[in-house]
Amino acid sequence: MDQERERLRAAIVEQHGTIHRFCRRNQHLNRPTVYLVLNGKYPGNMERQVKKIRMALSGEDKSESVFKAIKSKACCICSKKGECHQCDKLFRSQANAVMKIFSD
């Protein structure tokens, strides 16, 4: 497991320059958790957290960014004001469709 974490750390640094920058670009990940996992001190389910980090590193979590972009643009032109999640299901399916196009 130590070698796996070291390879993960190296991949993060190679792609993003620093672990801090990686965490800033993947705000759905908890920064302290990422550091604890990479240092081998995470007290919870280490494998699950490694998987989340790998997914973020490989870009599999980009659908969340696409979802937020779609929602942001659509909500700007919507007549409803304030926090609303009425169309989130539609926006998520649109984000997944966009991600499918780019993954083929």
Side-chain angles (χ1 to χ4, degrees):
M1 188 67 165
D2 288 338
Q3 289 180 342
E4 182 180 356
R5 284 194 317 273
E6 285 305 313
R7 285 193 300 268
L8 187 56
R9 179 187 297 274
I12 289 170
V13 171
E14 182 179 320
Q15 282 187 20
H16 299 276
T18 66
I19 296 166
H20 179 77
R21 192 174 300 136
F22 168 73
C23 293
R24 288 188 63 201
R25 291 177 179 166
N26 295 282
Q27 293 183 1
H28 61 282
L29 294 174
N30 185 296
R31 185 181 324 223
T33 300
V34 172
Y35 280 103
L36 286 170
V37 168
L38 294 177
N39 291 324
K41 297 179 180 181
Y42 183 71
N45 187 332
M46 181 78 78
E47 289 180 27
R48 185 176 71 214
Q49 295 302 325
V50 167
K51 184 178 177 182
K52 281 184 176 181
I53 294 168
R54 284 201 183 285
M55 285 175 54
L57 190 59
S58 69
E60 289 181 43
D61 286 340
K62 296 283 186 205
S63 64
E64 186 66 21
S65 297
V66 174
F67 161 75
K68 288 178 182 177
I70 292 169
K71 180 177 174 112
S72 172
K73 189 63 177 174
C75 291
C76 284
I77 60 173
C78 182
S79 62
K80 287 192 173 192
K81 299 297 174 205
E83 188 83 14
C84 172
H85 301 287
Q86 186 173 353
C87 302
D88 283 4
K89 186 175 180 182
L90 170 66
F91 299 151
R92 286 204 188 280
S93 65
Q94 290 172 335
N96 289 334
V98 168
M99 294 306 295
K100 187 172 187 219
I101 290 169
F102 288 109
S103 67
D104 290 341

